[in-house]
């Protein structure tokens, strides 16, 4: 809850900019917003392709796509993507995959999605090195504590693995299963293409939705710079464990768009419209779909 509280404090302090951004929403061009909605719908297709590419067994396509739509709603109930992970883990086990293989497929999906997002970010940074001041995405003095915290977590994890035999055995068994699944997937070109193609398409479509929303509100930032701002912001807030990134994503996106050269009020309006399209409008239908899938024992 702490990140949400901090974002609320910042919103109160910047309430004049926030209010101006809300007023600016009335100037949006609806065709561009509809295109952003279409790009958002395609993200669920990309997620379904990546999920299928992470397992050798063929999953039922219609139910897989519906599960990705429902997982989006579940993702806003638990932090750091745990909701979507739990829904997909249950779906794969219902489809007949053992729990160990389902967990390995989930880990492979998360790895591929992270690699795809960072790869796109790196490519845009190389193509447009001066488009974004990355230091503006993090508070002053944040890098040092973050590195110390990361090192502390790694040291604790290494200590637990060294001293607790049961944990060491469980982790070793999981790694063997995960590596075996990864090898099996990559021996099939169609699965490998779905895995890595979907992992690149998913963040690209998310960035496209933001670019289209920016066009709808007349944000004076080049499309490539907006995409770069989106990828940098989402990578920067990946370690902030708020449910669905609520609060932290909005704050980071506004800062990133301003760092890319956009006016604060227009950037705020763009982020508000983007989150309405990608989070709030699909939330109720996604929750209803989730409930229906549970009742039908699909998950």
């Amino acid at each position: 809850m702490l990140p949400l509280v901090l974002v609320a404090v910042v919103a109160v302090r910047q309430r004049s900019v926030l209010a101006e951004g809300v007023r600016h929403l009335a100037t949006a061009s609806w065709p561009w917003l509809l295109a952003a909605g279409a790009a958002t719908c395609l993200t669920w297709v990309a997620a379904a392709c990546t999920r299928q590419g992470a397992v050798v067994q063929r999953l039922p396509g219609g139910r897989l796509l519906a599960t990705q739509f429902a997982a989006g709603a579940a993702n806003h109930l638990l932090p750091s993507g745990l909701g979507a992970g739990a829904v997909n883990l249950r779906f794969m086990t219902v489809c007949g995959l053992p729990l160990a293989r389902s967990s390995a497929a989930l880990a492979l999906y998360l790895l591929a999605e992270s690699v795809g997002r960072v790869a796109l970010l790196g490519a845009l940074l190389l193509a447009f090195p001066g488009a974004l001041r990355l230091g503006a995405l993090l508070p002053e003095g944040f890098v040092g504590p973050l590195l110390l915290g990361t090192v502390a977590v790694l040291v604790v994890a290494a200590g637990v693995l060294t001293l607790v035999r049961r944990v060491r055995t469980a982790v070793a068994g999981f790694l063997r299963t995960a590596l075996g699944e990864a090898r099996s997937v990559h021996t099939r070109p169609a699965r490998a293409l779905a895995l890595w193609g979907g992992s690149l398409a998913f963040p690209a479509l998310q960035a496209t939705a933001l670019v289209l929303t920016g066009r709808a509100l007349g944000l004076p930032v080049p499309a490539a710079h907006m995409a770069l701002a989106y990828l940098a912001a989402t990578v920067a807030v990946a370690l902030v464990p708020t449910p669905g990134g609520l609060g932290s994503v909005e704050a980071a996106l506004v800062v990133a768009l301003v760092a890319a050269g956009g006016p604060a009020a227009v950037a705020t309006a763009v982020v508000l419209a983007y989150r309405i399209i990608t989070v709030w409008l699909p939330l109720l239908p996604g929750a209803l779909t989730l409930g229906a899938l549970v009742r039908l024992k699909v998950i």
Side-chain angles (χ1 to χ4, degrees), residues 9 14 22 37-38 59 62 65-66 85 95 109 119 129 156 180 190 233 244 282 295:
V9 170
Q14 302 292 332
V22 172
L59 302 173
L65 183 59
C95 289
Y109 169 87
V156 171
R295 287 194 298 273

Side-chain angles (χ1 to χ4, degrees), residues 101-129:
R101 291 180 57 197
S102 300
S103 302
L106 181 60
L108 182 57
Y109 169 87
L110 294 174
L111 176 63
E113 202 275 334
S114 299
V115 170
R117 188 176 299 272
V118 173
L120 286 176
L121 174 60
L124 287 176
L125 283 174
L126 290 175
F128 307 96

Side-chain angles (χ1 to χ4, degrees), residues 227-257:
L228 178 56
Y230 169 80
L231 293 168
T234 52
V235 169
V237 302
L239 297 178
V240 183
T242 56
L246 295 178
S248 57
V249 170
E250 286 85 351
L253 279 176
V254 170
V255 172
L257 290 175

Side-chain angles (χ1 to χ4, degrees), residues 12 24 35 45 52 58 73 93 101 121 134 141 159 174 189 191 208 251 255 269 285:
V12 170
H24 198 76
V45 178
Q52 176 61 85
R58 184 171 180 82
T93 55
R101 291 180 57 197
L121 174 60
L134 289 178
F174 173 76
R191 292 290 185 269
T208 299
V255 172

Side-chain angles (χ1 to χ4, degrees), residues 51 142 156 165 179 183 200 211 254 281:
R51 300 281 183 188
F142 180 76
V156 171
R165 181 178 180 181
L179 291 174
R183 284 194 298 267
L200 289 171
V211 170
V254 170
L281 286 181

Side-chain angles (χ1 to χ4, degrees), residues 75 78-86 110 242 244:
N75 214 34
L78 295 172
S80 301
L82 293 178
L110 294 174
T242 56

Side-chain angles (χ1 to χ4, degrees), residues 1-7 242:
M1 297 299 294
L2 181 59
L4 293 176
V5 173
L6 294 176
V7 169
T242 56

Side-chain angles (χ1 to χ4, degrees), residues 49-153:
C49 289
T50 312
R51 300 281 183 188
Q52 176 61 85
V55 295
V56 175
Q57 178 178 329
R58 184 171 180 82
L59 302 173
R63 283 181 283 172
L64 176 60
L65 183 59
T67 300
Q68 303 320 302
F69 181 52
N75 214 34
H76 293 89
L77 302 177
L78 295 172
S80 301
L82 293 178
V87 169
N88 279 283
L89 190 65
R90 178 62 182 168
F91 172 70
M92 287 185 285
T93 55
V94 169
C95 289
L97 272 74
L99 182 59
R101 291 180 57 197
S102 300
S103 302
L106 181 60
L108 182 57
Y109 169 87
L110 294 174
L111 176 63
E113 202 275 334
S114 299
V115 170
R117 188 176 299 272
V118 173
L120 286 176
L121 174 60
L124 287 176
L125 283 174
L126 290 175
F128 307 96
L132 189 67
R133 298 186 304 273
L134 289 178
L137 294 178
L138 297 174
E140 186 177 353
F142 180 76
V143 176
L146 177 61
L147 291 177
L148 289 176
T150 303
V151 171
V153 170

